[in-house]
């Protein structure tokens, strides 16, 4: 299904002076200057989050932007070169927007943190796309297994806007302490890809991100007001140590997020081997890590071949990844036999085996009682990518269909076996 809003004719103008005039209504002079400076670097796009930056950030530090939980914020995607930029030959590009952790320690624990959030907020998403407000985007998608990610297509010859909603708050990932909590910062990152010769969105074009903190509704407005009052009380000499606040936030160029590359290339690559081999290349090792849900550590092991990783001892992995993930990674690498916690029988359609009157089912053995594990097993069984699985239903004896979630797979159901 396509979602597309018509663009005014002004977006099709190719005059450089007209582009500057078109940007003027929503860009401050300082931001226009930043755009002019970065134009010289050859990057084709500019991403602008329509939310004010904090004035309580010192010079030379990264900007910090406050957001309200659940509020729609616009990200403008501007093609700064239009026809001048000819490296992108495809009609559309794909942009993947995600909310990730700013703190490196939390990045390593991303999977556990997101699973914990999913358990506490069943049915909710970390990042949503506000389709009615968005302009110039096609095929918006929010995958049920990637709660912090949205993706869509847009025409690089035209400017586009996507409205996003962040539904988690910074303090949800902070250990509770006496006297209040200090929320952790997030990153909003945009990774953009163009079509390759095979017609797949695999050619990385650009990545950019900014630092944000998310507060309960109206909390961001109060925090921004407090920061401004704090700076106004300082003398002129002290104020010069801090950045000026802007009405919008310019996303800075950065490295592509590893999962973004994995999501883009997953559809065209074959299913990784369940076993890590000494002959596995660094790229094969990265795919193996993503496939077995060790994505938070992909950056750490970005240059490791299969032989490099297999040489590491159990203690080495525990020291690098922590006890839980280190032991899980060691056991997965060594192919330890694990007793399944749940057996599920699946059948894509009522297929009757020739000569037999019964319907044929396949058994799936789950080591983890999560929707993610079930989707991976179904994808492997039918040789498809997990991204193609949007919903899974359990058929009750009465014929009704129940949407399968982590809670449905929970041991609290007290079932040894289930059919889907």
């Amino acid at each position: 299904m396509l979602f597309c809003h018509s663009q005014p004719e002004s977006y099709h103008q190719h005059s450089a002076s007209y582009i500057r005039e078109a940007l003027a209504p929503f860009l401050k002079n300082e931001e226009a200057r930043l755009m002019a400076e970065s134009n010289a670097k050859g990057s084709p796009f500019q991403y602008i989050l329509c939310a004010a930056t904090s004035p309580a950030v010192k010079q030379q530090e990264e900007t910090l932007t406050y957001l309200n939980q659940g509020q729609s914020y616009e990200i403008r995607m501007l093609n700064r070169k239009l026809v001048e930029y000819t490296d992108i030959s495809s009609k559309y590009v794909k942009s993947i927007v995600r909310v990730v952790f700013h703190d490196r320690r939390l990045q390593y624990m991303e999977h556990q943190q997101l699973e914990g959030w999913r358990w506490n907020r069943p049915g909710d998403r970390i990042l949503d796309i506000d389709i009615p407000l968005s302009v110039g985007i096609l095929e918006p998608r929010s995958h049920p297994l990637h709660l912090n990610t949205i993706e869509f297509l847009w025409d690089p010859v035209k400017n586009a806007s996507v409205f996003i909603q962040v539904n988690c708050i910074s303090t949800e990932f902070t250990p509770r302490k006496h006297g209040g909590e200090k929320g952790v910062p997030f990153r909003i990152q945009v990774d953009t890809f163009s079509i390759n010769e095979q017609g797949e969105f695999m050619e990385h074009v650009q990545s950019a991100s900014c630092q944000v903190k998310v507060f309960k509704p109206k909390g961001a407005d109060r925090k921004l007001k407090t920061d401004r009052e704090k700076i106004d009380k300082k003398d002129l000499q002290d104020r010069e140590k801090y950045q000026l606040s802007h009405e919008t936030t310019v996303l800075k160029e950065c490295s592509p997020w590893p999962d973004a590359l994995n999501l883009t290339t997953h559809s065209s690559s074959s299913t990784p081997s369940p076993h890590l081999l000494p002959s596995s290349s660094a790229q094969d090792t990265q795919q193996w890590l993503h496939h077995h849900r060790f994505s938070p550590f992909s950056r750490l092991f970005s240059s490791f071949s299969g032989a490099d990783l297999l040489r590491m001892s159990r203690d080495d992995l525990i020291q690098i990844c922590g006890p839980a993930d280190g032991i899980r990674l060691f056991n997965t690498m060594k192919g330890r036999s694990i007793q399944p916690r749940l057996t599920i029988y699946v059948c894509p359609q009522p297929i009757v085996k020739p000569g037999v009157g019964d319907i044929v089912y396949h058994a799936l053995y789950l080591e983890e009682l999560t929707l993610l594990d079930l989707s991976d097993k179904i994808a492997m069984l039918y040789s498809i990518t997990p991204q193609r699985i949007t919903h899974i239903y359990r058929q009750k004896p009465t014929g009704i269909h129940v949407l399968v979630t982590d809670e449905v797979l929970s041991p609290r159901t007290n079932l040894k076996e289930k059919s889907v």
Side-chain angles (χ1 to χ4, degrees):
M1 183 178 294
L2 300 181
F3 292 88
C4 183
H5 297 263
S6 60
Q7 295 280 13
E9 288 299 317
S10 60
Y11 281 98
H12 300 275
Q13 299 292 332
H14 307 316
S15 167
S17 61
Y18 190 88
I19 294 174
R20 287 194 294 270
E21 293 174 6
L23 299 180
F26 54 84
L27 291 179
K28 293 294 184 181
N29 291 334
E30 294 83 355
E31 289 161 344
R33 177 179 56 81
L34 288 174
M35 291 181 64
E37 290 175 355
S38 54
N39 266 337
K41 299 178 182 179
S43 55
F45 304 133
Q46 179 79 66
Y47 309 94
I48 298 176
L49 173 65
C50 294
T53 60
S54 168
V57 176
K58 291 187 177 180
Q59 300 286 355
Q60 311 304 324
E61 292 183 358
E62 185 178 7
T63 60
L64 177 60
T65 302
Y66 303 135
L67 305 180
N68 289 314
Q69 179 188 27
Q71 181 173 327
S72 294
Y73 290 93
E74 182 181 10
I75 297 180
R76 288 191 172 109
M77 295 159 290
L78 311 175
N79 187 343
R80 297 177 299 193
K81 298 201 170 187
L82 293 178
V83 174
E84 297 175 25
Y85 191 84
T86 58
D87 291 354
I88 299 178
S89 58
S90 57
K91 171 64 175 175
Y92 300 106
V93 294
K94 174 188 279 188
S95 286
I96 301 175
V97 183
R98 63 180 57 233
V99 174
V100 295
F101 292 111
H102 172 78
D103 184 81
R104 183 63 58 87
R105 178 184 60 84
L106 289 173
Q107 289 177 15
Y108 295 152
M109 302 168 58
E110 181 182 89
H111 176 71
Q112 294 89 330
Q113 294 287 340
L114 297 186
E115 281 299 310
W117 192 90
R118 185 203 302 266
W119 180 261
N120 292 324
R121 302 270 297 274
D124 290 347
R125 291 187 55 81
I126 288 178
L127 181 65
D128 271 321
I129 179 171
D130 193 335
I131 295 175
L133 291 179
S134 301
V135 177
I137 66 170
L138 299 88
E139 300 184 19
R141 189 163 178 257
S142 301
H143 196 279
L145 299 182
H146 302 283
L147 304 182
N148 62 328
T149 303
I150 60 171
E151 61 181 56
F152 51 87
L153 306 181
W154 59 288
D155 188 343
V157 178
K158 306 173 185 178
N159 298 323
S161 293
V162 61
F163 280 77
I164 64 169
Q165 299 169 334
V166 183
N167 299 314
C168 63
I169 58 176
S170 294
T171 52
E172 288 184 273
F173 301 96
T174 305
R176 282 179 165 75
K177 298 178 181 179
H178 296 292
E181 302 177 24
K182 185 176 181 181
V184 300
F186 301 124
R187 303 199 68 77
I188 291 180
Q189 177 154 337
V190 181
D191 299 283
T192 299
F193 300 85
S194 63
I195 292 180
N196 62 7
E197 295 178 353
Q198 288 73 38
E200 299 165 320
F201 290 97
M202 294 176 58
E203 294 293 332
H204 177 253
V205 177
Q206 189 179 5
S207 294
S209 66
C210 66
Q211 182 183 197
V212 301
K213 279 190 175 183
V214 186
F215 297 81
K216 291 182 178 180
K218 298 186 179 180
D221 308 295
R222 291 192 294 268
K223 176 62 176 172
L224 187 61
K225 181 181 178 182
T226 301
D227 284 0
R228 285 172 175 164
E229 292 173 349
K230 175 182 175 182
I231 297 301
D232 288 342
K233 292 179 181 178
K234 295 181 179 293
D235 56 41
L236 183 59
Q237 186 175 0
D238 285 340
R239 288 184 200 175
E240 293 177 351
K241 298 177 182 178
Y242 294 86
Q243 299 181 21
L244 294 175
S245 176
H246 302 297
E247 292 302 315
T248 56
T249 304
V250 178
L251 277 65
K252 302 294 185 180
E253 287 201 57
C254 63
S255 301
W257 195 258
D259 278 358
L261 291 170
N262 182 58
L263 285 172
T264 304
T265 59
H266 205 324
S267 60
S268 62
S269 61
S270 59
T271 302
S273 169
H275 302 293
L276 186 66
L277 305 175
S279 58
S280 299
S281 65
Q283 183 178 359
D284 293 336
T285 303
Q286 286 291 300
Q287 289 187 3
W288 183 89
L289 288 169
H290 286 300
H291 181 72
H292 292 280
R293 299 185 297 284
F294 294 106
S295 299
F297 308 103
S298 58
R299 286 187 176 182
L300 276 176
F301 301 119
S302 59
S303 60
F304 279 55
S305 66
D308 295 331
L309 204 54
L310 288 168
R311 287 193 190 101
M312 303 191 73
S313 67
R314 183 175 183 269
D315 290 339
D316 291 336
L317 294 173
I318 290 175
Q319 185 175 0
I320 294 173
C321 306
D325 285 312
I327 293 173
R328 188 168 71 89
L329 178 54
F330 180 79
N331 290 340
T332 307
M333 285 196 310
K334 302 302 180 182
R336 297 286 182 86
S337 177
I338 302 174
Q339 186 70 22
R341 300 179 62 188
L342 182 64
T343 302
I344 292 182
Y345 298 100
V346 300
C347 178
Q349 291 179 352
I351 301 174
V352 179
K353 188 175 180 180
V356 181
D358 296 331
I359 297 176
V360 178
Y361 283 82
H362 293 275
L364 300 181
Y365 304 101
L366 303 187
E367 290 83 24
E368 298 182 18
L369 301 182
T370 63
L371 181 61
L372 182 63
D373 191 23
L374 177 58
S375 296
D376 285 345
K377 295 292 173 58
I378 293 177
M380 291 178 64
L381 177 63
Y382 298 110
S383 300
I384 61 176
T385 61
Q387 285 75 25
R388 292 183 59 186
I389 302 174
T390 56
H391 296 91
I392 300 174
Y393 299 94
R394 176 192 176 195
Q395 185 171 349
K396 302 282 283 184
T398 56
I400 66 171
H401 292 78
V402 178
L403 181 66
V404 176
T405 63
D406 287 347
E407 194 168 11
V408 173
L409 297 172
S410 168
R412 289 180 294 181
T413 57
N414 294 319
L415 293 179
K416 295 290 184 181
E417 299 179 347
K418 299 176 182 178
S419 61
V420 177

